[in-house]
Amino acid sequence: MSTLSMHRQQQQQQMVSKSLTLPKIPQNLVPVVHILTSRSENDVGKKDEPFPFEKIIKFFRDSQTSHLVDRRIRFCQKLYRHHRNGYNSKDLRHLMKIFNILADDCEEQPLYINPFIEILKNCSKPFLLDKSTDAEIYAPVLISFYSDFGYLLRIPNKRIQQCILETLYKSSQLTNKSPIDENDYDGIRPIRMDYLLRLQCHSDLCETLTKAMSFFENDLTLRIYVVKLLQIYSSKSSECVARMLTHDCINRLLSKMNDHDPTGELLFRTIELLWNILEQCDEEQISDQLDSRVTISLLQEAFIGQATQTHNQYHCQLRNDILIVCSLVMGLKSDAPVIETGFAKQLLLFASYPEVRSNNPLVKNYKFTKSEEDFEFKKLLINTTVILSRNPMMNELITNSRVILALLSYIEPLPRKKSPGINTFEWSLSQIEELQLHALTALSILLPNSLNEYFEYHTGTRLLLFYEWTINDDEFKSQGNSFFGKGGRNNKRSQLKHILKLFRSIVSTKDERIFMDLCDQGMIPLITGYLRRLIQEKSMSMDTVDLDIICDGLFILSCVAESDVHRKEIFGSEGIEILIQILLMESSHVCGGLGYYRLLVAAIDCVWCCVVGSVINEDEFIQKQGLFALLDLIESNPKSLQNIILGCLLDLAENLKCIHFLMAWQGHKQQQFVHVLCELWRDEEREIYVSRTARGVISDPTKPLMGALQQSVPIVPLKRSEPSRSVLDLIDNMRSKIYGFFCKIGFGQLPGLHEEDFVTLCIIENFLDFKMGEIWQEIMTELEMEGTKLISTDTEATDTILQATQERVLAVAATQNYILEQYNKQDLQEEKGFYDDVRDKTLV
């Protein structure tokens, strides 16, 4: 081959190789893959050898090695060094076996105590897992380990017991961190502390520690550690509290609570633990432990000790905490022996001080300050008084302590006027304002049970003077910071809201003497005048405080005027204008629509009590179209309100002028009142599933009025005072009220009725007869169930009544069918006439 041909062949091969070569990727475009690992190259290949637990356990259990104390101690030291970062969860069963062996050996050989304490301390560190997903797998093992770990307190050695308690306390702290990094993806990982704490709560530690308090009665340090641990567990789980109470935890805690403690930590921790228990316990479970004079006496001793020795802020806070615990005890057990121990009398003495002076040595030299702790103490005393009043036996003590007079001393205009020349303790203005609201709330609970004190202290005059101050235009810059001061910043709305609530609670007693006292001092014009002004100002926008004020005012007026015509006349035209404005108000203007129905119910109740029964008020209410406002509400409101409105209208219809206005009214769809009543009747029967045909005819002659719910209630013999299911049916639905309206209006010559209305009217007209037959049927059934046989004349009478009722039902059903046939014939005749007219026009 020539040199030229060889050269050409080489060039062709080079060109082919270039075409097959892949393009070279620049180095900066090569993707970098990061390996998820925390180990360095030097650590690869290194692996910790497992600790020989089985070998050591076998060695420790061998009786022939019991004399090799030094060697055993070296094994313990090796165990401590090997697990300096914490124990692995998979080794806990073996570890507990070693703990139990050493626990027995420590009693015989004290040299084991120090190494045993060292390996116990390692348990304070988070336990380790090979995989983070193994936490749930080892949960039963951890729970069992913690239960057995608590049982080690049986060892009669204070150093070991203290080490166990310290270890448990450290392991329950969420701030306790493991030496191992949690981001070590390749190695073992520590368990989260919150998970370990949850497992401790599921173990038997609570029961063990509760029982251990009896062993540590004379050891203050260990007892404090036990209480601290129980405090942590009780705050995390109600199950722990339940298990603690099964072992008489309350009495064990309180028995040594007042022992001498220079640090004061035991009492503080005990009170905190009691607080947790009382908030999370079951009332039935704890009631027996609280119903003890010893328990109440110990709490009394702790409270009096702190209340009379309040030298610094710490003692004042502890005093307040003890009082909170006492109030929780009295709240859970209202009949706790606080009267028998004298504790209630002492609490009421503190509650009435310094407003009511006393020579009792307990408070004679007691000094209140304006500090936050003393201010909180005063509020807690008022709250405790309210809790004590739940026990009817406390009424006499409350009267003798004059605590109501002390609370009434706050019910005066602010700022207070100081008496010249008298040096008395005074709270700051913001504190007095908060105590005033607190006192108003407490009096609304206490005064209804202390009516004699109401008249003795001239309470009505005090309250009305304070009410006049709340509604006048004098400026008052209220702080509005307290719980009861919501919505009352820079105004007097909070005071007005709570004084009306106090009036409401007083008039709810229905005591005529109170009504006379308040009305003689002009309460009705005061309330109506302010409500009229408020509604005019807030007609387009009303908040929750305004709603509370208006509803409470209307309720007070309803109570005082319900049974007295003269008071209804005092309510007069001003009150009627208020009611009509409320009835015409749009729902969106009342708290965004959320409080509309509440306001409406209060207004309807006020119409019922303050208008109905007074001819003057009824005539004015009708003339100002208040009747039309009520009728309009029937169309636009749900059934629950329709029932109330119909009841009010039915009583108002006793006035003969009302009937004309009822018949003249037309709804939004130009519907007459009688048509609306028939519609309501049909809606009522559809709701209770009364048996009717598609066109409203009676389909079951034996049950012309009975609904499905009434049928589902079995007939049983009843006591004389108990109503039967047929009588209850009259209360539950509106059919009896609709029947009452037709009895006043009449059943004939009614305008605005449709075809279905005439069918319904047949049933309404015979409602009373059908209901009487239904009740007679119940009577006969009950007599048969009781085995009572009637004499022949009674049997004949009852058979006649039942037979007449059934015949009446069949006759009504026939009348209904006849009405439908007549309407059907009329429709056919009108249709025929229409086609005849069409035919005549086409022929022309």
Side-chain angles (χ1 to χ4, degrees):
M1 184 180 293
S2 65
T3 306
L4 183 59
S5 60
M6 291 177 62
H7 180 67
R8 288 178 177 175
Q9 187 176 3
Q10 289 177 358
Q11 286 180 345
Q12 290 176 358
Q13 290 177 355
Q14 289 176 0
M15 292 176 64
V16 171
S17 62
K18 287 181 180 181
S19 63
L20 296 176
T21 304
L22 295 173
K24 187 176 181 181
I25 302 175
Q27 189 174 359
N28 59 350
L29 298 178
V30 176
V32 179
V33 179
H34 295 281
I35 301 174
L36 193 63
T37 181
S38 59
R39 295 192 177 191
S40 62
E41 294 180 358
N42 297 329
D43 294 334
V44 177
K46 292 184 179 180
K47 188 175 182 181
D48 294 335
E49 295 182 0
F51 190 80
F53 278 102
E54 295 182 357
K55 178 180 177 182
I56 291 180
I57 292 172
K58 185 177 180 181
F59 177 76
F60 272 92
R61 284 180 173 174
D62 191 351
S63 58
Q64 297 179 0
T65 62
S66 59
H67 62 285
L68 302 175
V69 178
D70 294 340
R71 191 173 177 185
R72 289 190 173 191
I73 292 175
R74 284 197 298 271
F75 274 127
C76 293
Q77 293 171 348
K78 182 180 179 181
L79 175 63
Y80 169 74
R81 290 193 300 269
H82 189 275
H83 296 91
R84 60 186 179 276
N85 293 331
Y87 296 109
N88 198 308
S89 299
K90 64 182 180 182
D91 298 330
L92 292 181
R93 287 194 179 95
H94 299 304
L95 185 65
M96 185 49 65
K97 292 179 181 178
I98 294 177
F99 286 173
N100 287 324
I101 294 172
L102 290 175
D104 297 334
D105 292 343
C106 285
E107 298 180 16
E108 301 176 0
Q109 179 54 264
L111 293 176
Y112 291 120
I113 294 177
N114 288 333
F116 187 30
I117 290 175
E118 292 297 324
I119 61 176
L120 284 174
K121 288 180 179 179
N122 268 353
C123 293
S124 64
K125 301 170 184 176
F127 296 117
L128 307 175
L129 295 171
D130 292 332
K131 300 177 183 178
S132 60
T133 56
D134 289 346
E136 294 295 333
I137 298 175
Y138 287 106
V141 177
L142 288 164
I143 292 174
S144 176
F145 175 81
Y146 278 122
S147 298
D148 294 336
F149 194 79
Y151 298 152
L152 294 176
L153 290 171
R154 68 182 184 275
I155 303 172
N157 184 282
K158 180 179 178 180
R159 289 182 59 203
I160 295 177
Q161 291 171 343
Q162 184 170 349
C163 176
I164 293 170
L165 295 173
E166 288 177 351
T167 300
L168 287 172
Y169 182 73
K170 290 179 181 179
S171 65
S172 63
Q173 301 299 307
L174 300 180
T175 56
N176 189 18
K177 300 294 183 182
S178 173
I180 298 178
D181 187 7
E182 293 184 359
N183 296 322
D184 184 6
Y185 301 105
D186 296 322
I188 55 180
R189 302 186 63 188
I191 302 177
R192 296 194 322 273
M193 294 305 301
D194 58 340
Y195 183 71
L196 285 177
L197 180 56
R198 192 158 66 247
L199 294 179
Q200 290 180 24
C201 293
H202 284 88
S203 68
D204 295 338
L205 278 175
C206 290
E207 294 97 318
T208 304
L209 293 173
T210 303
K211 296 175 182 177
M213 282 192 289
S214 300
F215 303 142
F216 305 146
E217 287 184 351
N218 301 320
D219 195 314
L220 182 62
T221 305
L222 298 182
R223 188 173 180 84
I224 290 175
Y225 266 113
V226 171
V227 175
K228 286 165 66 176
L229 283 168
L230 291 176
Q231 181 185 347
I232 294 171
Y233 297 147
S234 62
S235 64
K236 299 296 180 182
S237 172
S238 57
E239 295 180 2
C240 289
V241 173
R243 290 200 296 270
M244 290 160 57
L245 291 174
T246 56
H247 297 283
D248 198 21
C249 178
I250 299 295
N251 292 325
R252 292 175 188 265
L253 275 175
L254 296 178
S255 60
K256 297 293 181 179
M257 177 180 67
N258 297 314
D259 288 358
H260 177 68
D261 178 15
T263 64
E265 186 177 6
L266 177 62
L267 180 59
F268 171 74
R269 296 286 182 182
T270 303
I271 292 300
E272 290 293 324
L273 175 54
L274 280 173
W275 197 338
N276 292 340
I277 292 174
L278 292 170
E279 284 186 337
Q280 301 197 42
C281 68
D282 180 59
E283 185 175 350
E284 295 181 359
Q285 191 176 14
I286 200 174
S287 60
D288 294 335
Q289 298 183 37
L290 296 178
D291 193 14
S292 168
R293 289 194 180 187
V294 176
T295 302
I296 301 301
S297 298
L298 291 170
L299 287 172
Q300 179 185 8
E301 180 184 350
F303 172 75
I304 298 300
Q306 294 299 317
T308 55
Q309 300 175 9
T310 51
H311 304 301
N312 52 36
Q313 184 181 12
Y314 169 78
H315 287 287
C316 290
Q317 290 177 345
L318 182 56
R319 170 202 64 191
N320 294 350
D321 290 346
I322 296 173
L323 184 55
I324 292 174
V325 169
C326 294
S327 64
L328 289 173
V329 170
M330 298 168 196
L332 287 172
K333 189 72 175 175
S334 60
D335 56 346
V338 291
I339 300 177
E340 295 84 346
T341 58
F343 192 24
K345 186 176 181 180
Q346 292 174 336
L347 288 173
L348 292 173
L349 183 64
F350 275 105
S352 61
Y353 183 83
E355 295 80 18
V356 177
R357 291 293 177 179
S358 174
N359 292 323
N360 192 300
L362 196 61
V363 297
K364 185 176 182 180
N365 298 318
Y366 191 84
K367 300 296 182 182
F368 270 103
T369 65
K370 296 182 181 180
S371 65
E372 288 297 322
E373 289 74 22
D374 280 355
F375 178 57
E376 191 70 24
F377 181 52
K378 186 62 181 178
K379 292 193 295 183
L380 288 171
L381 286 170
I382 296 174
N383 181 63
T384 305
T385 304
V386 173
I387 295 174
L388 286 171
S389 67
R390 297 174 186 174
N391 186 354
M393 304 298 294
M394 291 296 303
N395 290 340
E396 184 177 353
L397 277 179
I398 292 175
T399 300
N400 296 335
S401 67
R402 297 190 295 172
V403 69
I404 291 179
L405 180 61
L407 295 175
L408 285 172
S409 65
Y410 289 99
I411 315 303
E412 59 183 23
L414 297 179
R416 284 181 170 182
K417 296 180 181 179
K418 292 186 178 180
S419 301
I422 299 178
N423 186 17
T424 57
F425 171 75
E426 281 289 338
W427 302 98
S428 66
L429 182 59
S430 61
Q431 289 175 334
I432 289 179
E433 179 190 341
E434 189 168 347
L435 288 174
Q436 185 181 76
L437 296 174
H438 212 103
L440 284 168
T441 307
L443 285 170
S444 65
I445 300 173
L446 298 175
L447 267 180
N449 299 322
S450 306
L451 295 183
N452 292 332
E453 284 67 40
Y454 172 88
F455 297 102
E456 181 182 350
Y457 302 140
H458 306 286
T459 305
T461 305
R462 289 173 182 258
L463 299 183
L464 285 172
L465 288 173
F466 183 76
Y467 172 74
E468 289 180 1
W469 172 77
T470 61
I471 63 175
N472 64 25
D473 296 328
D474 295 344
E475 185 178 3
F476 176 68
K477 297 292 184 180
S478 173
Q479 299 295 319
N481 295 326
S482 66
F483 172 79
F484 300 107
K486 182 179 180 181
R489 191 168 186 82
N490 294 327
N491 54 57
K492 296 179 281 189
R493 290 205 305 166
S494 297
Q495 286 81 1
L496 175 59
K497 170 185 172 181
H498 288 287
I499 189 63
L500 285 175
K501 286 189 179 297
L502 177 53
F503 276 129
R504 174 175 180 153
S505 67
I506 294 172
V507 300
S508 296
T509 59
K510 303 292 184 180
D511 193 309
E512 187 61 30
R513 297 175 301 164
I514 294 177
F515 293 165
M516 292 179 62
D517 177 57
L518 294 174
C519 293
D520 290 346
Q521 298 183 65
M523 185 183 72
I524 294 178
L526 283 173
I527 294 179
T528 54
Y530 178 75
L531 289 183
R532 182 181 180 184
R533 187 179 67 183
L534 178 63
I535 291 172
Q536 289 175 350
E537 294 174 357
K538 304 288 185 177
S539 60
M540 300 302 293
S541 177
M542 188 182 298
D543 61 13
T544 54
V545 178
D546 297 325
L547 179 64
D548 289 338
I549 291 171
I550 295 173
C551 290
D552 288 339
L554 293 175
F555 180 84
I556 294 166
L557 294 172
S558 300
C559 288
V560 298
E562 181 179 7
S563 58
D564 191 278
V565 177
H566 176 63
R567 294 174 199 150
K568 295 178 191 285
E569 293 173 357
I570 296 175
F571 180 79
S573 59
E574 191 174 36
I576 291 172
E577 289 181 8
I578 295 171
L579 295 176
I580 294 175
Q581 287 180 11
I582 295 174
L583 295 176
L584 296 175
M585 193 175 293
E586 295 184 14
S587 60
S588 58
H589 296 163
V590 184
C591 302
L594 297 178
Y596 176 67
Y597 292 125
R598 178 185 169 195
L599 179 62
L600 209 55
V601 169
I604 296 169
D605 180 60
C606 194
V607 172
W608 218 332
C609 296
C610 299
V611 175
V612 177
S614 170
V615 178
I616 298 175
N617 287 0
E618 289 176 355
D619 291 346
E620 186 171 355
F621 184 76
I622 294 171
Q623 290 172 5
K624 291 183 177 179
Q625 299 188 353
L627 183 67
F628 288 164
L630 285 174
L631 291 170
D632 290 338
L633 290 173
I634 294 178
E635 285 189 316
S636 58
N637 284 282
K639 177 195 168 186
S640 56
L641 273 178
Q642 288 174 346
N643 202 350
I644 299 173
I645 297 170
L646 282 178
C648 180
L649 285 172
L650 186 59
D651 285 348
L652 196 59
E654 294 293 330
N655 190 323
L656 297 178
K657 297 178 183 178
C658 182
I659 303 298
H660 171 72
F661 285 87
L662 288 175
M663 301 304 295
W665 173 81
Q666 287 185 344
H668 298 298
K669 299 179 181 179
Q670 305 301 315
Q671 296 175 336
Q672 297 287 339
F673 179 60
V674 289
H675 172 70
V676 173
L677 291 178
C678 292
E679 283 285 351
L680 292 175
W681 182 283
R682 288 191 290 270
D683 292 340
E684 192 76 42
E685 290 192 333
R686 278 192 292 267
E687 185 173 342
I688 63 177
Y689 299 102
V690 180
S691 180
R692 296 284 185 264
T693 64
R695 305 190 69 179
V697 179
I698 298 173
S699 60
D700 188 353
T702 60
K703 300 170 184 176
L705 297 176
M706 196 177 298
L709 179 61
Q710 186 179 345
Q711 296 178 37
S712 63
V713 179
I715 298 176
V716 294
L718 300 174
K719 296 180 181 179
R720 184 177 180 180
S721 58
E722 293 183 12
S724 66
R725 62 179 189 177
S726 295
V727 177
L728 289 174
D729 177 67
L730 296 173
I731 305 171
D732 293 339
N733 58 67
M734 297 183 286
R735 292 188 294 179
S736 58
K737 297 182 178 67
I738 296 172
Y739 175 74
F741 274 110
F742 278 103
C743 288
K744 296 180 182 297
I745 297 171
F747 295 93
Q749 303 298 322
L750 298 175
L753 292 179
H754 301 168
E755 174 187 347
E756 63 273 15
D757 296 336
F758 286 105
V759 176
T760 304
L761 197 59
C762 293
I763 302 175
I764 298 175
E765 187 175 1
N766 293 275
F767 172 75
L768 184 59
D769 294 331
F770 292 167
K771 181 58 68 172
M772 289 183 63
E774 192 177 287
I775 293 174
W776 273 108
Q777 184 63 53
E778 281 188 348
I779 294 172
M780 295 302 298
T781 306
E782 288 185 25
L783 290 174
E784 291 179 2
M785 295 176 66
E786 294 173 354
T788 303
K789 293 184 178 180
L790 301 178
I791 60 177
S792 58
T793 53
D794 290 341
T795 303
E796 183 180 353
T798 53
D799 290 342
T800 303
I801 292 172
L802 296 177
Q803 182 66 27
T805 303
Q806 189 170 4
E807 291 176 357
R808 176 64 63 88
V809 173
L810 294 174
V812 170
T815 304
Q816 290 177 313
N817 289 319
Y818 174 76
I819 292 172
L820 293 175
E821 288 177 3
Q822 293 299 317
Y823 268 99
N824 189 28
K825 290 179 181 179
Q826 184 178 349
D827 292 340
L828 292 175
Q829 188 174 357
E830 290 177 357
E831 185 179 357
K832 182 180 179 181
F834 174 76
Y835 281 114
D836 289 342
D837 292 342
V838 172
R839 184 185 59 186
D840 294 342
K841 290 179 181 180
T842 54
L843 292 175
V844 173

